[in-house]
Amino acid sequence: MPLVRTYRDLQMPGRGQVWRELRGLRSTAPGAAARNDERREVFTSALEQAQQFLEAAEMAGPATRPVQVFYGLSQLGRAIAATSTALPDSEPVLDKDGSPKMNGGKPVTVNPWRLSGHGITTVALREQARLGLAKVQVKGQERGTLPGVARALGVAALPANVPIPLGQLWPLLPETHPVPLDAAPEFPALAFDAQPTSPPVSFGWDRAELSGIPTSVYQRCREDDAELDAFLARYPSLAGYRYEPAQGITPSWGTATHGWRLSIFWPLVSNEESPEFGMSLHERKATPYRGRNDWWVFPSVAGMSEPLHPFLAWWAVLFGLSMLARYEPDSWAKMIDIDRSASANAIEHLLDQALDVVPHIAYEAIQSVSR
């Protein structure tokens, strides 16, 4: 991989700046936390614990850093839920038939913003660890913190009880692309850049460039539109694309900093009755990642009909690493041996990046869910 510092890198705020912004939220508490004292207390205390966990992680090596980083992320998830306007202060517990559960003639209620339990687990961790990091599997659960955070964000949760290898989740984290776990990932996150169009050929069309397409995909798909369609089908938000507005023109490829880029088009939304009318192409087809100037498209995993949200992807990967560090220390020690393990450099890179990315995407999530 080329040793480059991109314009995107230069745009990103520093770690200290992000924490300064997060600390600035605590005296007023945004969203639902501003109207409920209990939620406010959870919001402020969860942010304090998150910062202490992540600052402690800065001083730790890869042997233990996954534990501090994951628990910092977990507390940030609690802060997001406490402030999310999508989660009511309380709601009734339902019986199997869908009716409210009663106790002493009164409905039983819960606080959906008060999260507990991981909501995610590993699969045969010891056996999978012996096969290598990419083979280690995690699976979502119906209840717990992770599905609660997904609800707070208004996005699809990881499917319950469907094993997903870390090797499949790793390339969904954009910061891993310069130092990949797998040199030929199948379905990575793709950078999305809406482009101006020029009449008359593209009149009435929106255009975007997708960047970060793996070389293996380019080689397989550059002369086979059916293969390319099959690849892009894993990115649900891209539905309705065309390669060119004019008939008979082949897909337009080019090189990117990491991998390849591809231009694709969509018809302009002109129907004023459409819920997408007036939305930018970014808002219609991509997900904001580290701010409103950083747009990506993410694949679905495990049969999901929606893309996996990047906050949940970070959660799943860091959970898997923390479980390895805690419960399989001998296997973990081999994985992080920089002199012998092919995975060690990718692990170190991800854990370094997490110190900057995790608080930043949490800050962006708080700003989004508290509106």
Side-chain angles (χ1 to χ4, degrees):
M1 288 291 180
L3 296 174
V4 296
R5 188 166 177 81
T6 66
Y7 180 68
R8 175 180 180 266
D9 296 329
L10 298 175
Q11 284 184 307
M12 293 302 163
R15 189 184 310 166
Q17 181 183 352
V18 173
W19 281 117
R20 181 54 55 205
E21 293 295 325
L22 283 167
R23 292 183 71 82
L25 297 176
R26 290 168 54 175
S27 62
T28 53
R35 305 186 295 270
N36 181 301
D37 288 343
E38 287 186 39
R39 295 179 76 148
R40 178 174 179 155
E41 290 176 5
V42 168
F43 175 73
T44 56
S45 58
L47 282 183
E48 178 62 28
Q49 289 191 6
Q51 185 170 3
Q52 291 195 27
F53 273 126
L54 286 162
E55 288 180 347
E58 293 181 34
M59 306 302 295
T64 60
R65 182 179 284 181
V67 181
Q68 293 102 324
V69 173
F70 173 72
Y71 278 106
L73 174 64
S74 181
Q75 294 309 96
L76 288 168
R78 286 174 170 79
I80 291 167
T83 195
S84 174
T85 55
L87 300 180
D89 289 342
S90 65
E91 62 185 8
V93 177
L94 302 180
D95 276 324
K96 293 181 179 179
D97 61 2
S99 62
K101 189 173 185 178
M102 307 296 289
N103 183 17
K106 296 181 179 180
V108 178
T109 62
V110 294
N111 307 123
W113 54 270
R114 191 179 284 278
L115 307 179
S116 63
H118 285 309
I120 184 173
T121 188
T122 54
V123 181
L125 184 60
R126 181 162 299 171
E127 291 76 11
Q128 298 291 343
R130 291 170 180 161
L131 300 176
L133 178 60
K135 301 294 185 182
V136 172
Q137 296 178 334
V138 296
K139 62 180 181 179
Q141 297 176 313
E142 291 184 1
R143 295 180 178 83
T145 299
L146 184 56
V149 170
R151 184 181 171 191
L153 293 170
V155 300
L158 278 178
N161 301 314
V162 180
I164 308 171
L166 291 187
Q168 185 177 341
L169 294 167
W170 202 277
L172 272 62
L173 312 181
E175 284 73 19
T176 67
H177 295 182
V179 188
L181 182 64
D182 182 348
E186 279 194 273
F187 300 102
L190 303 176
F192 185 97
D193 185 16
Q195 298 285 317
T197 54
S198 303
V201 174
S202 56
F203 182 76
W205 295 82
D206 279 325
R207 178 169 74 97
E209 281 189 349
L210 306 177
S211 299
I213 298 173
T215 296
S216 58
V217 173
Y218 166 73
Q219 292 171 339
R220 187 175 74 245
C221 300
R222 61 183 171 180
E223 296 180 357
D224 190 332
D225 288 0
E227 281 282 351
L228 184 54
D229 286 336
F231 171 74
L232 294 177
R234 284 291 299 270
Y235 298 82
S237 67
L238 298 179
Y241 66 86
R242 286 266 298 272
Y243 298 125
E244 292 287 353
Q247 295 291 336
I249 301 178
T250 58
S252 176
W253 293 92
T255 57
T257 303
H258 303 294
W260 293 81
R261 56 183 170 83
L262 173 70
S263 291
I264 52 177
F265 293 77
W266 293 266
L268 289 173
V269 178
S270 56
N271 181 2
E272 295 184 8
E273 302 299 320
S274 169
E276 294 186 341
F277 182 78
M279 296 172 63
S280 70
L281 184 61
H282 285 117
E283 293 169 325
R284 286 161 44 204
K285 295 298 179 181
T287 299
Y289 178 45
R290 295 181 67 183
R292 301 291 292 182
N293 293 317
D294 190 41
W295 296 84
W296 295 74
V297 291
F298 297 89
S300 61
V301 298
M304 295 173 65
S305 60
E306 300 177 34
L308 182 63
H309 192 277
F311 196 91
L312 306 189
W314 271 101
W315 193 294
V317 170
L318 289 171
F319 173 79
L321 299 188
S322 73
M323 292 292 285
L324 285 165
R326 282 182 286 170
Y327 298 114
E328 300 299 331
D330 52 338
S331 293
W332 180 242
K334 293 175 183 176
M335 291 177 186
I336 62 174
D337 184 345
I338 196 68
D339 295 323
R340 294 178 176 84
S341 169
S343 301
N345 198 39
I347 294 169
E348 289 184 2
H349 177 74
L350 179 143
L351 292 174
D352 285 344
Q353 293 296 310
L355 298 175
D356 292 314
V357 177
V358 166
H360 191 186
I361 60 175
Y363 173 77
E364 296 295 339
I366 290 168
Q367 295 290 356
S368 175
V369 304
S370 61
R371 295 191 180 100

